[in-house]
Amino acid sequence: MNIGLRYDMRAPDLGPGSASPRDLYQAAVEQCLWADKKGFNTVYLAEHHGAEDNYCPSPLIRAAAIAGATEQIELHFSALCVTMHDPLRLAEDLAVLDLIAGPGRVLVTAGIGYRPEEFDMFGVDFPNRGKVFEEKLEVLRTAWRGEEFEYRGTRVRVTPVPGTPGGPTLYIGGNAKPSARRAARMGLGYRPATEDLYRFYAEECARLGHPEPEPFPRHGPAFLYVAEDPEQALEQVAPHVIYASNMYASWAGERTNATTNGYWAQKSNLDSIRNDPSMWIVSPDEAVRRLSELDDDYELRVHSLLGGLSPELSWRSLELLVDKVLPRVRAARPVS
């Protein structure tokens, strides 16, 4: 079973004791260093701009801090808002990050973006965002060849060349069929919100004569917290879970007039968390039972600082996961 950490760096003010952005950023880097030594596979870094709760706008800077101090954990931008970036500068930054991290460690799920205020902030044409997105993706792929090419009437070259041949691995993210069609047409991998979209993408790949894509990367839960006393832990983490769930759900409404966003749905109280099958606030024994039922290709993805969860509470769960859960799950799995 692969294991990943995920960070969006929301740092809302939920009253006395709320963690500061500085505390959360320091904790995230420390947790990635620890996870690298413990054999975790991937850290997922998200991006949004102008958010009232300090959502991370600069995952490239954060990734460089992590890459320079770790040895093997993958750095996966999920998603990187490519549409908001100057593509030449983004190609340069990702090439340098790839050299710092080492070949194969940097992966990019490129997001088209969906919040209108972000497009306004960077002067990007929202109605034509699909065209802008594809043009910038093509610039990245061309730039990483290390050769001169024409960009807006000027001959340019992006250096240095990434350490990974062809540059960091590129996927397209998405929540609707146009993103699946785009990924298949451009010959890129796909990281959608649902398995149904991935099946549609695979059908498009077959129709276009592309090789069969890799299996859908199943992962979850939305939130995992391991505690010796789950009920006490639920009361402690609930404000953060409710806040993050409601924010993600409200953002989905901006895009589709929906009330859910993948795993995330509106929540109001402890029962709304207890009754959500994607929210695991469980004892070590229960975590072992649930994880042991999952297939080997399932990825456990841990959102360890969800909703500005304090580093102290976050570390308690992570250490129980590594000390009292994962060894038992691995021991129970047959040796292949």
Side-chain angles (χ1 to χ4, degrees):
M1 178 183 295
N2 288 337
I3 307 171
L5 294 171
R6 179 172 176 79
Y7 298 100
D8 59 22
M9 306 314 299
R10 290 188 188 274
D13 183 357
L14 299 181
S18 293
S20 69
R22 176 175 170 79
D23 290 341
L24 294 170
Y25 274 92
Q26 288 183 325
V29 173
E30 290 167 0
Q31 288 179 358
C32 289
L33 306 190
W34 172 86
D36 188 54
K37 295 175 183 176
K38 297 296 183 181
F40 284 39
N41 304 90
T42 309
V43 54
Y44 293 89
L45 306 173
E47 174 189 14
H48 274 291
H49 298 273
E52 62 269 33
D53 58 12
N54 304 297
Y55 201 113
C56 181
S58 188
L60 289 161
I61 299 295
R62 192 154 46 108
I66 296 166
T70 56
E71 296 180 359
Q72 58 188 14
I73 197 166
E74 292 179 343
L75 306 163
H76 193 145
F77 298 99
S78 181
L80 187 67
C81 299
V82 168
T83 321
M84 313 301 165
H85 290 265
D86 178 280
L88 293 181
R89 186 55 193 265
L90 182 59
E92 292 173 335
D93 288 345
L94 284 168
V96 170
L97 176 63
D98 189 74
L99 290 168
I100 293 170
R105 285 182 65 196
V106 178
L107 304 94
V108 177
T109 292
I112 192 171
Y114 61 91
R115 307 196 74 211
E117 58 262 46
E118 292 182 276
F119 288 82
D120 292 342
M121 183 174 176
F122 291 99
V124 179
D125 185 357
F126 185 79
N128 292 314
R129 60 193 181 280
K131 179 181 178 182
V132 173
F133 181 60
E134 290 189 25
E135 289 175 348
K136 292 187 176 185
L137 286 175
E138 288 296 351
V139 171
L140 291 180
R141 296 206 286 184
T142 302
W144 288 333
R145 296 174 190 152
E147 302 170 355
E148 269 196 8
F149 64 100
E150 185 170 315
Y151 177 68
R152 295 182 177 176
T154 301
R155 300 295 295 177
V156 298
R157 173 181 288 144
V158 166
T159 58
V161 175
T164 302
T169 300
L170 272 176
Y171 300 97
I172 286 179
N175 290 273
K177 285 186 176 181
S179 63
R181 294 191 188 98
R182 178 178 292 116
R185 175 167 43 81
M186 298 184 72
L188 291 172
Y190 188 45
R191 288 292 182 270
T194 68
E195 193 164 0
D196 285 345
L197 277 174
Y198 199 81
R199 281 193 288 268
F200 179 76
Y201 162 72
E203 292 169 1
E204 285 293 291
C205 287
R207 185 180 66 81
L208 295 170
H210 297 326
E212 182 178 353
E214 60 193 54
F216 177 71
R218 294 183 302 128
H219 63 272
F223 181 64
L224 168 66
Y225 193 89
V226 183
E228 297 289 4
D229 185 341
E231 278 301 306
Q232 180 186 58
L234 174 59
E235 294 185 3
Q236 294 172 320
V237 305
H240 306 279
V241 173
I242 291 170
Y243 175 85
S245 293
N246 290 349
M247 284 299 295
Y248 276 119
S250 68
W251 282 11
E254 295 178 17
R255 177 177 56 218
T256 61
N257 295 318
T259 58
T260 61
N261 186 350
Y263 288 118
W264 309 104
Q266 291 286 340
K267 291 183 168 44
S268 58
N269 53 38
L270 299 186
D271 281 341
S272 66
I273 300 173
R274 289 190 189 98
N275 297 331
D276 187 333
S278 68
M279 298 288 167
W280 294 9
I281 302 172
V282 294
S283 68
D285 288 346
E286 179 63 12
V288 170
R289 185 189 70 78
R290 295 190 188 191
L291 293 175
S292 297
E293 293 176 349
L294 300 175
D295 296 336
D296 288 345
D297 61 356
Y298 191 91
E299 181 185 53
L300 175 64
R301 198 171 291 181
V302 183
H303 211 318
S304 60
L305 296 172
L306 181 71
L309 187 67
S310 76
E312 179 184 1
L313 287 174
S314 177
W315 275 115
R316 289 181 196 173
S317 173
L318 286 174
E319 289 170 350
L320 278 176
L321 175 67
V322 166
D323 294 341
K324 294 192 175 183
V325 175
L326 295 180
R328 293 167 59 192
V329 173
R330 289 166 177 152
R333 291 184 179 273
V335 178
S336 58

